[in-house]
Amino acid sequence: MASRIRSDTRHVSRRVTPWVAITVCMLSVSALSKDVESGTALAARYRQDVTRRLDLPPDEQAQYEGHLANALAASGLASLPAQYVVLIDRSVFVQAVMIFWKSDSGAFEFIGASPTSTGKPGRFEHFETPTGVFAHTLENPDFRAEGTLNEEGIRGYGRRGMRVYDFGWVPVAKGWGNRQQSVMRLQMHATDPDRLESRLGSVQSKGCIRIPASLNTFIDRFAILDAAYDRARRDGRSFWVLSPEREPTPWSGEYLVVIETVRSGRPAWSPPPRF
């Protein structure tokens, strides 16, 4: 918005009368103020930039807002300042990732949703993605995918340069054998663009959260989960992992919330993938 306003004002004639110039200035400040007051402007960018999206009806959006509020409150985070939050529904009938903006008043606003893939237990070293609220901190630094192929010809973290969001080691029951308590490294990342991204919307992973590449870029560009990184940058620290193309907002967040809704079948807005 700011760059567009600057471009418009550069073309104002030098012979313009003072009151016209003042009016343009007032309109520019008003538009900027409106953007600064709300983080909902990213909803339009989500529709523009994210190629794989789910269209939740208003009643479903409201239900997820309630689930999100309850999960944060249960973790003692009901009074968070305004920020973005990433929500995952690991239900086998949903498999969706969503972004919400929490205002200072406590209201949640839906930004966008896309298909995801969470853990598919039943095989060795496969976990069910744990539920709960997970902080994105500097204790577990993010990194970027190298884009190399594994022994099965898969780019596990997606194409080169995709950001891998690391939430550290978390307790979770094993998805195989005796199902006893164990730990897994919880990450959120893109996946192989040729062989696995088409499977998003179904349980597929070893426990991590797979998201579309365009959503990975969106979260990275707009610093959706970068609150801890931004605080450290204000203290003079620098981080190679942050994109030079990032466009941070005043509402960088730091929480990933994973829930599981009770469903008896697929909702129409979350169709199963075809592969």
Side-chain angles (χ1 to χ4, degrees):
M1 176 64 74
S3 61
R4 185 164 64 250
I5 291 171
R6 287 195 296 269
S7 176
D8 292 344
T9 55
R10 278 199 299 267
H11 293 286
V12 175
S13 170
R14 292 181 179 178
R15 294 186 296 173
V16 71
T17 56
W19 66 266
V20 173
I22 292 172
T23 301
V24 171
C25 181
M26 290 178 63
L27 289 172
S28 300
V29 171
S30 175
L32 288 171
S33 298
K34 184 177 180 180
D35 273 356
V36 169
E37 290 171 359
S38 172
T40 58
L42 277 192
R45 287 299 301 266
Y46 196 105
R47 293 190 296 270
Q48 173 184 312
D49 297 351
V50 181
T51 56
R52 300 198 61 185
R53 301 184 303 275
L54 299 173
D55 296 321
L56 276 68
D59 62 326
E60 288 275 9
Q61 294 179 25
Q63 289 184 39
Y64 279 111
E65 290 167 12
H67 291 312
L68 182 53
N70 291 338
L72 291 173
S75 296
L77 298 169
S79 300
L80 283 178
Q83 63 183 273
Y84 293 108
V85 184
V86 176
L87 176 68
I88 306 291
D89 186 352
R90 74 174 192 183
S91 166
V92 296
F93 294 119
V94 177
Q95 290 291 288
V97 51
M98 311 168 201
I99 297 177
F100 287 87
W101 178 66
K102 179 187 182 294
S103 69
D104 280 321
S105 68
F108 288 91
E109 300 287 348
F110 178 75
I111 301 300
S114 295
T116 188
S117 285
T118 61
K120 184 178 183 179
R123 297 171 58 188
F124 179 65
E125 291 191 344
H126 280 63
F127 300 88
E128 188 172 46
T129 302
T131 58
V133 178
F134 306 96
H136 184 232
T137 71
L138 301 180
E139 295 178 7
N140 305 289
D142 294 347
F143 56 95
R144 292 193 178 272
E146 296 182 356
T148 53
L149 300 174
N150 63 17
E151 63 277 6
E152 298 177 355
I154 297 292
R155 294 178 175 86
Y157 287 133
R159 62 177 173 80
R160 182 177 178 82
M162 290 286 96
R163 187 166 169 183
V164 180
Y165 292 87
D166 198 324
F167 297 88
W169 293 98
V170 299
V172 61
K174 295 191 300 183
W176 72 98
N178 56 21
R179 305 295 175 110
Q180 289 185 347
Q181 190 79 355
S182 183
V183 292
M184 62 160 282
R185 193 81 185 214
L186 181 60
Q187 297 173 334
M188 183 174 70
H189 56 78
T191 189
D192 188 275
D194 302 315
R195 298 175 59 181
L196 297 181
E197 181 156 332
S198 62
R199 301 187 178 208
L200 294 176
S202 62
V203 288
Q204 294 288 332
S205 80
K206 290 185 175 182
C208 288
I209 298 161
R210 300 175 182 173
I211 61 176
S214 58
L215 177 56
N216 184 291
T217 299
F218 181 91
I219 294 172
D220 189 20
R221 177 184 293 275
F222 295 108
I224 298 296
L225 288 171
D226 282 352
Y229 285 87
D230 287 344
R231 286 194 296 268
R233 290 182 76 225
R234 288 193 289 270
D235 290 336
R237 297 180 61 182
S238 61
F239 301 91
W240 71 268
V241 77
L242 298 181
S243 170
E245 299 178 351
R246 71 198 302 262
E247 302 175 39
T249 73
W251 307 288
S252 295
E254 56 189 313
Y255 293 103
L256 169 72
V257 179
V258 182
I259 64 169
E260 180 175 351
T261 57
V262 178
R263 307 268 182 169
S264 58
R266 281 255 180 193
W269 55 265
S270 182
R274 296 180 180 180
F275 54 88

